[in-house]
Amino acid sequence: MAEPLVNHRSDIEVRIRAADHVLIACDFDGTLSPIVPRPEDAYILPECADALSQLTEQSGYAVAIVSGRALEDVRERAGLPNAIYSGNHGIEIAAPGLAFEDDGAEQARLLMADLRLALEHAVSQISGAFVEDKGVSLSVHSRMTPEELEPKVREIVHDATTDAVAEGKITVVQGKKVLDIRPAAARDKGAAMRFIMDTLLRMSETQLFPIYIGDDTTDEDAFREVNLSGGLSILVGEPDRDTVATYRLDSPADVASFLKKLAGS
């Protein structure tokens, strides 16, 4: 169980100050943005945007946004030109002077287009449920769906994806009121973090201290990678959540306060 970060703030500040280079990586939805019913309504908290923008300008800091959203979507919503972006759980990664797309991305687009056609009609019959097309992946959302209908949403997704899962083409991952459908061989957020950390190490040739902040089950892979690297893993959410994260913040507003403190604002 993650410890409240506020109880360890002084120790954490000492560790950050001792680092040569600090990577601050954040999930977007539920971390920098409040959870909203529909993904198109999400927005970065202004306090988070201001603090992260300041950090991208400070020597010894790098900022990454690691999201399940499509890369262009999260880049537009975050609005941080000097940040590193990982979209679609790591299938797409971009930064100033760097662009990466998973080798199987084009094949994934064709597969996801077929799956979307198979899913959309059935999912649209369930109140509040809908399919989000992210190009190389799909998300089936049920945040606005009555709780008693959520098993039906899972059944629809299971029926539409069983063959492709059995053939090793895709994987279906349960998130918070969402089912993410991704290419089976694609990166997860942990692999995305490892790629970003290794790239920064090559570029900076200094000791890297990583911090990862996220709220969803899909962030657990990133927490593990950061823990293995001796960094800080911070869950945003309820105190009784089962997690490998070491520390916890209650809400995106608390994330903003933590980031503002790091930025010295």
Side-chain angles (χ1 to χ4, degrees), residues 132-184:
E132 180 186 5
D133 185 352
K134 299 186 287 189
V136 293
S137 71
L138 301 172
S139 290
V140 179
H141 295 271
S142 58
R143 187 166 299 280
M144 299 183 293
T145 300
E147 188 172 344
E148 65 271 16
L149 295 180
E150 288 192 43
K152 182 61 178 177
V153 176
R154 292 193 292 271
E155 179 185 335
I156 290 169
V157 173
H158 177 268
D159 291 347
T161 60
T162 294
D163 289 346
V165 169
E167 293 166 5
K169 294 179 179 179
I170 64 170
T171 183
V172 180
V173 180
Q174 177 76 59
K176 285 185 176 180
K177 303 289 185 177
V178 64
L179 289 162
D180 290 315
I181 304 170
R182 304 182 231 154

Coordinates of all heavy atoms in Angstrom, one line a residue, residues 132-184:
E132 N -13.7 4.7 -28.4 CA -12.8 5.8 -28.8 C -11.7 5.2 -29.7 O -11.0 4.2 -29.4 CB -12.1 6.4 -27.6 CG -11.1 7.5 -27.9 CD -10.4 8.0 -26.7 OE1 -10.5 7.4 -25.6 OE2 -9.6 9.0 -26.8
D133 N -11.6 5.7 -30.9 CA -10.6 5.3 -31.9 C -9.3 6.1 -31.8 O -9.3 7.3 -32.0 CB -11.2 5.4 -33.3 CG -10.3 4.9 -34.4 OD1 -9.2 4.5 -34.1 OD2 -10.7 4.8 -35.6
K134 N -8.2 5.4 -31.4 CA -7.0 6.1 -31.2 C -5.9 5.7 -32.3 O -4.7 5.8 -32.0 CB -6.5 5.9 -29.8 CG -7.4 6.4 -28.7 CD -6.9 6.3 -27.3 CE -6.8 4.9 -26.8 NZ -6.5 4.8 -25.4
G135 N -6.5 5.3 -33.4 CA -5.6 4.9 -34.5 C -5.0 3.5 -34.3 O -5.4 2.6 -34.9
V136 N -3.9 3.4 -33.5 CA -3.3 2.1 -33.3 C -3.8 1.4 -32.1 O -3.3 0.3 -31.8 CB -1.7 2.3 -33.2 CG1 -1.1 2.8 -34.5 CG2 -1.4 3.3 -32.0
S137 N -4.8 1.9 -31.5 CA -5.5 1.2 -30.4 C -6.9 1.7 -30.3 O -7.3 2.7 -30.9 CB -4.8 1.4 -29.0 OG -4.9 2.7 -28.6
L138 N -7.7 1.0 -29.5 CA -9.1 1.4 -29.2 C -9.4 1.4 -27.7 O -8.7 0.6 -27.0 CB -10.1 0.4 -29.8 CG -10.1 0.2 -31.3 CD1 -11.0 -1.0 -31.7 CD2 -10.5 1.5 -32.1
S139 N -10.3 2.3 -27.3 CA -10.7 2.2 -25.9 C -12.2 2.2 -25.9 O -12.9 3.0 -26.6 CB -10.2 3.5 -25.1 OG -8.8 3.4 -24.9
V140 N -12.8 1.3 -25.1 CA -14.2 1.2 -24.9 C -14.5 1.7 -23.6 O -14.2 1.1 -22.5 CB -14.7 -0.3 -25.1 CG1 -16.2 -0.3 -24.9 CG2 -14.3 -0.8 -26.4
H141 N -15.2 2.9 -23.5 CA -15.5 3.6 -22.3 C -16.8 3.2 -21.7 O -17.8 3.1 -22.5 CB -15.4 5.1 -22.5 CG -14.1 5.6 -22.9 ND1 -13.1 6.0 -22.0 CD2 -13.5 5.7 -24.1 CE1 -12.0 6.4 -22.6 NE2 -12.2 6.2 -23.9
S142 N -16.9 3.1 -20.4 CA -18.2 2.8 -19.7 C -18.4 3.7 -18.5 O -19.2 3.4 -17.6 CB -18.3 1.4 -19.3 OG -17.2 1.0 -18.5
R143 N -17.7 4.9 -18.4 CA -17.8 5.7 -17.2 C -19.3 6.2 -17.1 O -19.7 6.5 -15.9 CB -16.8 6.9 -17.4 CG -16.8 7.8 -16.1 CD -15.6 8.7 -16.2 NE -14.3 8.0 -16.2 CZ -13.7 7.4 -15.2 NH1 -14.3 7.5 -14.0 NH2 -12.6 6.7 -15.4
M144 N -20.0 6.4 -18.2 CA -21.3 7.0 -18.1 C -22.4 5.8 -18.1 O -23.6 6.1 -18.2 CB -21.6 8.0 -19.2 CG -20.7 9.2 -19.1 SD -21.0 10.4 -20.4 CE -20.6 9.5 -21.9
T145 N -21.9 4.6 -18.1 CA -22.8 3.4 -18.2 C -23.4 3.0 -16.8 O -22.6 3.0 -15.9 CB -22.1 2.3 -18.9 OG1 -21.6 2.7 -20.1 CG2 -23.0 1.0 -19.0
P146 N -24.6 2.7 -16.7 CA -25.1 2.2 -15.4 C -24.3 1.0 -15.0 O -24.0 0.1 -15.8 CB -26.6 1.9 -15.7 CG -27.0 2.8 -16.9 CD -25.7 2.9 -17.7
E147 N -24.0 0.9 -13.7 CA -23.2 -0.2 -13.2 C -23.7 -1.6 -13.6 O -22.9 -2.5 -13.9 CB -23.0 -0.1 -11.7 CG -22.0 -1.0 -11.1 CD -21.8 -0.8 -9.6 OE1 -22.2 0.3 -9.2 OE2 -21.2 -1.6 -9.0
E148 N -25.0 -1.8 -13.6 CA -25.5 -3.1 -13.9 C -25.3 -3.5 -15.4 O -25.5 -4.7 -15.7 CB -27.0 -3.2 -13.6 CG -27.9 -2.3 -14.4 CD -28.1 -0.9 -13.8 OE1 -27.3 -0.5 -12.9 OE2 -29.0 -0.2 -14.2
L149 N -25.0 -2.5 -16.3 CA -24.8 -2.8 -17.7 C -23.3 -3.0 -18.0 O -23.0 -3.4 -19.2 CB -25.4 -1.7 -18.5 CG -26.9 -1.5 -18.5 CD1 -27.3 -0.4 -19.4 CD2 -27.6 -2.8 -18.9
E150 N -22.4 -2.7 -17.1 CA -21.0 -2.9 -17.4 C -20.6 -4.3 -17.8 O -19.8 -4.5 -18.7 CB -20.1 -2.3 -16.2 CG -20.2 -0.8 -16.1 CD -19.2 -0.3 -15.1 OE1 -18.0 -0.8 -15.2 OE2 -19.5 0.6 -14.3
P151 N -21.1 -5.3 -17.1 CA -20.8 -6.7 -17.6 C -21.2 -6.9 -19.0 O -20.5 -7.7 -19.7 CB -21.6 -7.6 -16.6 CG -21.8 -6.8 -15.4 CD -22.0 -5.4 -15.9
K152 N -22.2 -6.3 -19.5 CA -22.6 -6.4 -20.9 C -21.6 -5.8 -21.8 O -21.3 -6.4 -22.9 CB -24.0 -5.8 -21.2 CG -24.5 -6.0 -22.6 CD -24.7 -7.4 -23.0 CE -25.3 -7.5 -24.4 NZ -25.4 -9.0 -24.8
V153 N -21.0 -4.7 -21.4 CA -20.0 -4.0 -22.2 C -18.8 -5.0 -22.3 O -18.2 -5.2 -23.4 CB -19.6 -2.7 -21.6 CG1 -18.4 -2.1 -22.3 CG2 -20.7 -1.7 -21.6
R154 N -18.4 -5.5 -21.2 CA -17.2 -6.5 -21.2 C -17.5 -7.7 -22.0 O -16.6 -8.2 -22.7 CB -16.9 -6.9 -19.7 CG -16.3 -5.8 -18.9 CD -15.8 -6.3 -17.6 NE -16.8 -6.8 -16.7 CZ -17.4 -6.1 -15.8 NH1 -17.2 -4.8 -15.6 NH2 -18.3 -6.7 -15.0
E155 N -18.8 -8.2 -22.0 CA -19.1 -9.3 -22.9 C -19.0 -9.0 -24.3 O -18.5 -9.8 -25.1 CB -20.6 -9.7 -22.5 CG -21.1 -10.9 -23.3 CD -22.5 -11.2 -23.1 OE1 -23.0 -10.9 -22.0 OE2 -23.2 -11.8 -24.0
I156 N -19.5 -7.8 -24.7 CA -19.4 -7.4 -26.1 C -17.9 -7.3 -26.6 O -17.5 -7.8 -27.7 CB -20.1 -6.0 -26.3 CG1 -21.6 -6.2 -26.2 CG2 -19.7 -5.4 -27.7 CD1 -22.3 -4.8 -26.1
V157 N -17.1 -6.7 -25.7 CA -15.7 -6.6 -26.1 C -15.0 -8.0 -26.2 O -14.2 -8.3 -27.1 CB -14.9 -5.7 -25.1 CG1 -13.4 -5.7 -25.3 CG2 -15.4 -4.3 -25.1
H158 N -15.4 -8.8 -25.2 CA -14.8 -10.2 -25.2 C -15.2 -10.9 -26.5 O -14.3 -11.6 -27.2 CB -15.3 -11.0 -24.0 CG -14.8 -12.4 -23.9 ND1 -15.6 -13.4 -24.5 CD2 -13.7 -13.0 -23.4 CE1 -15.0 -14.6 -24.3 NE2 -13.8 -14.3 -23.7
D159 N -16.4 -10.9 -26.9 CA -16.9 -11.6 -28.1 C -16.2 -11.1 -29.3 O -15.9 -11.8 -30.2 CB -18.4 -11.5 -28.2 CG -19.2 -12.2 -27.2 OD1 -18.5 -13.0 -26.5 OD2 -20.4 -12.0 -27.0
A160 N -16.0 -9.7 -29.4 CA -15.4 -9.1 -30.6 C -13.9 -9.4 -30.7 O -13.3 -9.3 -31.8 CB -15.7 -7.6 -30.6
T161 N -13.3 -9.6 -29.6 CA -11.8 -9.7 -29.6 C -11.2 -11.1 -29.3 O -10.0 -11.3 -29.4 CB -11.2 -8.7 -28.5 OG1 -11.7 -9.1 -27.2 CG2 -11.6 -7.3 -28.8
T162 N -12.1 -12.1 -29.0 CA -11.6 -13.4 -28.6 C -10.6 -14.0 -29.6 O -9.6 -14.5 -29.3 CB -12.8 -14.3 -28.4 OG1 -13.5 -13.9 -27.2 CG2 -12.3 -15.7 -28.1
D163 N -11.0 -14.0 -30.9 CA -10.2 -14.6 -31.9 C -8.8 -13.9 -32.0 O -7.8 -14.6 -32.1 CB -10.9 -14.6 -33.3 CG -12.1 -15.6 -33.3 OD1 -12.2 -16.4 -32.4 OD2 -12.9 -15.4 -34.2
A164 N -8.8 -12.6 -32.1 CA -7.6 -11.8 -32.2 C -6.7 -12.0 -31.0 O -5.5 -12.1 -31.1 CB -7.9 -10.4 -32.5
V165 N -7.3 -12.1 -29.8 CA -6.5 -12.3 -28.6 C -5.9 -13.7 -28.7 O -4.7 -13.9 -28.4 CB -7.4 -12.2 -27.4 CG1 -6.6 -12.7 -26.1 CG2 -7.8 -10.7 -27.1
A166 N -6.7 -14.7 -29.1 CA -6.2 -16.1 -29.2 C -5.0 -16.2 -30.2 O -4.1 -17.1 -30.0 CB -7.3 -17.1 -29.5
E167 N -5.1 -15.4 -31.2 CA -4.1 -15.5 -32.3 C -2.9 -14.7 -31.9 O -1.9 -14.6 -32.7 CB -4.7 -15.0 -33.6 CG -5.8 -15.9 -34.2 CD -6.6 -15.2 -35.3 OE1 -6.2 -14.1 -35.7 OE2 -7.5 -15.8 -35.8
G168 N -2.9 -14.0 -30.8 CA -1.7 -13.3 -30.3 C -1.6 -11.9 -31.0 O -0.5 -11.3 -31.0
K169 N -2.7 -11.4 -31.6 CA -2.6 -10.1 -32.3 C -2.9 -8.9 -31.4 O -2.3 -7.9 -31.6 CB -3.6 -10.1 -33.4 CG -3.3 -11.1 -34.5 CD -4.4 -11.1 -35.6 CE -4.1 -12.1 -36.7 NZ -5.2 -12.0 -37.8
I170 N -3.7 -9.1 -30.4 CA -4.1 -8.0 -29.6 C -4.1 -8.4 -28.1 O -4.1 -9.6 -27.8 CB -5.5 -7.4 -29.9 CG1 -6.6 -8.4 -29.7 CG2 -5.5 -6.8 -31.3 CD1 -8.0 -7.8 -29.8
T171 N -4.2 -7.4 -27.2 CA -4.4 -7.7 -25.8 C -5.5 -6.7 -25.3 O -5.6 -5.6 -25.9 CB -3.1 -7.5 -25.0 OG1 -3.4 -7.8 -23.6 CG2 -2.6 -6.1 -25.1
V172 N -6.3 -7.1 -24.4 CA -7.3 -6.2 -23.8 C -7.0 -6.0 -22.3 O -6.8 -7.0 -21.6 CB -8.7 -6.9 -23.9 CG1 -9.8 -6.0 -23.3 CG2 -9.0 -7.2 -25.4
V173 N -6.9 -4.7 -22.0 CA -6.5 -4.4 -20.6 C -7.6 -3.6 -19.9 O -8.1 -2.6 -20.5 CB -5.2 -3.6 -20.6 CG1 -4.7 -3.2 -19.2 CG2 -4.0 -4.3 -21.3
Q174 N -8.0 -4.0 -18.7 CA -9.0 -3.3 -18.0 C -8.4 -2.1 -17.3 O -7.4 -2.2 -16.5 CB -9.6 -4.2 -16.9 CG -10.6 -3.6 -16.0 CD -12.0 -3.4 -16.7 OE1 -12.6 -4.3 -17.1 NE2 -12.4 -2.1 -16.7
G175 N -9.0 -0.9 -17.5 CA -8.6 0.3 -16.8 C -9.8 0.8 -15.9 O -10.7 0.0 -15.7
K176 N -9.7 2.0 -15.5 CA -10.8 2.6 -14.8 C -12.0 2.9 -15.7 O -11.9 3.9 -16.5 CB -10.4 3.9 -14.1 CG -9.5 3.7 -12.9 CD -9.2 5.0 -12.2 CE -8.4 4.9 -10.9 NZ -8.2 6.2 -10.3
K177 N -13.0 2.1 -15.7 CA -14.2 2.3 -16.5 C -13.9 2.3 -18.0 O -14.5 3.0 -18.8 CB -14.9 3.6 -16.1 CG -15.4 3.7 -14.7 CD -16.5 2.7 -14.3 CE -17.0 2.9 -12.9 NZ -18.2 2.1 -12.6
V178 N -12.8 1.6 -18.4 CA -12.4 1.5 -19.8 C -11.7 0.2 -20.0 O -11.1 -0.4 -19.2 CB -11.5 2.7 -20.1 CG1 -10.2 2.6 -19.3 CG2 -11.1 2.8 -21.6
L179 N -11.9 -0.3 -21.2 CA -11.2 -1.5 -21.7 C -10.3 -1.0 -22.9 O -10.8 -0.5 -23.9 CB -12.2 -2.5 -22.2 CG -13.0 -3.2 -21.1 CD1 -14.2 -3.9 -21.7 CD2 -12.1 -4.2 -20.4
D180 N -9.0 -1.1 -22.7 CA -8.1 -0.7 -23.8 C -7.7 -1.9 -24.6 O -7.3 -3.0 -24.1 CB -6.8 -0.2 -23.1 CG -7.0 1.2 -22.5 OD1 -7.7 2.0 -23.1 OD2 -6.6 1.4 -21.3
I181 N -7.8 -1.8 -25.9 CA -7.5 -2.8 -26.9 C -6.3 -2.4 -27.6 O -6.3 -1.4 -28.3 CB -8.7 -3.1 -27.9 CG1 -10.0 -3.4 -27.1 CG2 -8.3 -4.2 -28.8 CD1 -11.2 -3.4 -27.9
R182 N -5.2 -3.2 -27.5 CA -3.9 -2.8 -28.0 C -3.2 -3.9 -28.8 O -3.6 -5.1 -28.5 CB -2.9 -2.4 -26.9 CG -3.4 -1.3 -26.0 CD -2.3 -1.0 -25.0 NE -2.8 -1.0 -23.6 CZ -2.0 -1.3 -22.6 NH1 -0.8 -1.6 -22.7 NH2 -2.5 -1.3 -21.3
P183 N -2.3 -3.6 -29.7 CA -1.5 -4.6 -30.3 C -0.8 -5.4 -29.2 O -0.2 -4.9 -28.3 CB -0.5 -3.9 -31.2 CG -1.2 -2.5 -31.4 CD -1.9 -2.2 -30.2
A184 N -0.8 -6.7 -29.3 CA -0.2 -7.6 -28.3 C 1.3 -7.3 -28.1 O 1.8 -7.4 -27.0 CB -0.4 -9.1 -28.6

